[in-house]
Amino acid sequence: MHGGASQEALSTPAAISPAARELFAGFGAGAANVVSGYPFDTVKVRLQSAAPGTYRGALDCAVKVVQREGLRRGLFRGLSSPLVGGTLETGVNYLVYSRVLDALRASSLAASAAAGGGGVGGGGVGGADTPGCTPLGHVAAAGAVAGVALSFILGPTELVKCRMQLAGSSARYPGGPLQVLREVVAAEGWARGLTRGLGATMAREVPGNAVFFTVYEVARRSLRAPQDTPGSRGGGVNVSEAVTAVLSGGVAGTLMWALVLPIDVAKTRLQAASPGTPWDVGLLRQWAMLWREGGVRSLYAGLTPTLVRAFPANACQWLAWEAIMRSPGA
């Protein structure tokens, strides 16, 4: 502990609202996810956008990128856009999820009180609640609503990211992300250009986010030790809680990406396409073209680096979230 109550009051920002705390924790979680998983994401984009036969697999792709372009300008090229976008996106994601979940809980409590029942117990995202109290249907619904909100952030940032990660992007976009933005806006205008792939992004994020939060909650409830009581908020994350966050977050991210990858492949092709090219079509036609190109193999292009990335990146994300939410003063 941190001494007496008066000393703690001086050092603890007690006036921070739950929403501000959730947003800040989401920012930290997003930064942890992006930095830890970015090289894997670059390999995924290269595999999804390259012609069949360009690379023998994920490892071959990574080696060739580093050999030809270097580590920083190859695997980490274009990091600034998704770092900013990923930080903001994850903050908004957790904030909207937590607020919607609280609203659903309040509604259930009110309905239960009106009916004379016992109600639904407390429960929020991550380690802040008593496991098993929040209905999983509420978790999935809150995740889906948050998926809608974050799609409006992810759409433009992933458009820039995908183009920066394409082969030859160093020569094509020497001016970096700002050049990509200028060219997109010049070619298609602000509204049409920056919303390219927004529908596909939403088609991925709404179900994917529902699965992500639900699987995390199920795994966390299953793994959480009896001694990990909800009263530990503000006291930091102990070893057991950290292991639970890492395993639950890794499993949630891995399963989510395994389910939504065909949508992500089509979204990548659409966002990488220039206006008027064959790939400048909607989601259903993208899938049809991918199927003709290589069947299931094309629909799941980039599966290996995606799943290899998913576990550590999402494990880092959830660990950062739990650590910040439980830190002294939170």
Side-chain angles (χ1 to χ4, degrees):
M1 301 299 292
H2 296 277
S6 59
Q7 178 182 348
E8 187 171 351
L10 292 173
S11 60
T12 298
I16 294 179
S17 68
R21 181 178 63 242
E22 291 154 3
L23 185 64
F24 177 73
F27 287 160
N33 181 299
V34 172
V35 173
S36 62
Y38 196 77
F40 302 101
D41 192 62
T42 297
V43 173
K44 181 202 71 173
V45 170
R46 294 290 181 96
L47 290 172
Q48 290 178 345
S49 59
T54 303
Y55 304 110
R56 294 193 301 272
L59 181 59
D60 178 60
C61 178
V63 170
K64 286 181 178 177
V65 168
V66 173
Q67 287 177 340
R68 296 169 182 173
E69 304 171 50
L71 184 63
R72 184 179 66 84
R73 295 184 62 83
L75 292 181
F76 283 94
R77 178 164 176 77
L79 175 63
S80 58
S81 172
L83 182 58
V84 173
T87 299
L88 177 61
E89 165 244 319
T90 308
V92 170
N93 191 21
Y94 280 101
L95 173 63
V96 174
Y97 169 80
S98 299
R99 295 300 91 208
V100 172
L101 197 62
D102 276 355
L104 291 173
R105 182 182 308 115
S107 177
S108 293
L109 286 170
S112 179
V120 178
V125 63
D129 65 319
T130 303
C133 291
T134 304
L136 292 179
H138 287 183
V139 174
V145 173
V148 175
L150 68 90
S151 293
F152 287 95
I153 301 172
L154 273 178
T157 57
E158 289 198 351
L159 172 66
V160 174
K161 175 186 72 68
C162 286
R163 297 197 178 192
M164 288 293 294
Q165 289 175 318
L166 294 175
S169 64
S170 297
R172 176 69 181 82
Y173 302 111
L178 290 180
Q179 181 184 352
V180 175
L181 281 174
R182 287 195 298 267
E183 293 190 8
V184 166
V185 172
E188 302 183 72
W190 282 99
R192 184 174 178 81
L194 294 183
T195 58
R196 169 176 286 274
L198 178 60
T201 302
M202 200 169 293
R204 181 191 70 185
E205 290 303 317
V206 171
N209 219 38
V211 169
F212 179 64
F213 282 104
T214 303
V215 172
Y216 180 82
E217 186 64 16
V218 170
R220 187 177 66 86
R221 293 177 186 183
S222 301
L223 295 172
R224 193 171 187 175
Q227 64 269 23
D228 295 336
T229 61
S232 61
R233 174 182 288 280
V237 177
N238 62 36
V239 174
S240 176
E241 292 164 342
V243 171
T244 296
V246 166
L247 293 178
S248 301
V251 169
T254 301
L255 182 57
M256 184 271 288
W257 275 107
L259 292 174
V260 304
L261 189 62
I263 306 174
D264 184 66
V265 174
K267 182 197 72 71
T268 296
R269 292 288 184 105
L270 175 58
Q271 291 189 316
S274 299
T277 59
W279 288 100
D280 184 24
V281 294
L283 193 60
L284 294 178
R285 291 183 63 187
Q286 292 280 352
W287 281 332
M289 294 171 68
L290 284 163
W291 184 262
R292 289 195 298 269
E293 180 182 288
V296 174
R297 184 181 182 87
S298 291
L299 288 171
Y300 280 89
L303 177 64
T304 299
T306 298
L307 296 187
V308 170
R309 171 196 179 276
F311 195 99
N314 287 283
C316 289
Q317 173 177 313
W318 276 105
L319 181 59
W321 163 267
E322 297 281 6
I324 295 172
M325 288 294 289
R326 293 172 180 273
S327 62

